[in-house]
Amino acid sequence: MKKIECIIRPSRLEAVKEALGRYGIHGMTITYVLGCGLQRGKTEYYRGSVYTINLLPKVKIEIITRDNWVAEIVEIISREARTGEIGDGKIFIYPIENTIRIRTGEQGEEAIYRIGVN
């Protein structure tokens, strides 16, 4: 199993979620975060004063999936999150050693999927 973690623009979240849903991916964790990268923030004016905002709002999506689904999920996220501008985000992929469903004690893929359903 793998964990796909991506940081994207908040404005692209619904498009990414809908596209993943059409592919059959419904289990994900969404976190609203602040961050900076090449974008380096932005300058705004408030009551005549200049303010530099270094940390911009972003959305972090975390998905645990089967190894053989990773390439397709990454393609979907990349396609739907891309605007072509600096600040579109990043995708990180991590190996997952094990997963345990607390309610039933199921482990591995059985803890993520109903085997035979997905």
Side-chain angles (χ1 to χ4, degrees):
M1 291 181 298
K2 299 282 192 227
K3 176 181 181 181
I4 300 172
E5 184 177 285
C6 62
I7 309 294
I8 63 170
R9 296 173 185 270
S11 62
R12 303 307 305 151
L13 175 60
E14 286 305 314
V16 169
K17 272 184 15 186
E18 287 176 18
L20 289 170
R22 286 191 300 273
Y23 183 69
I25 302 296
H26 302 288
M28 61 187 78
T29 300
I30 309 292
T31 310
Y32 292 90
V33 296
L34 296 173
C36 64
L38 292 176
Q39 223 174 349
R40 295 203 178 130
K42 60 183 176 180
T43 302
E44 290 189 358
Y45 294 92
Y46 179 73
R47 294 187 178 187
S49 297
V50 177
Y51 292 92
T52 301
I53 301 169
N54 294 341
L55 298 175
L56 299 175
K58 300 289 181 179
V59 174
K60 179 166 65 169
I61 302 172
E62 298 170 90
I63 301 167
I64 307 300
T65 189
R66 295 175 169 138
D67 290 346
N68 60 333
W69 289 7
V70 170
E72 187 69 26
I73 292 171
V74 167
E75 168 59 31
I76 291 168
I77 294 169
S78 296
R79 180 181 64 239
E80 297 298 327
R82 183 177 295 125
T83 67
E85 302 292 325
I86 291 175
D88 277 350
K90 299 273 189 299
I91 299 173
F92 307 96
I93 302 168
Y94 306 96
I96 296 295
E97 186 174 318
N98 197 8
T99 302
I100 301 151
R101 186 186 310 259
I102 294 171
R103 179 176 52 87
T104 63
E106 294 168 299
Q107 294 193 29
E109 285 191 6
E110 290 89 18
I112 303 294
Y113 306 102
R114 291 185 182 179
I115 301 302
V117 175
N118 289 337

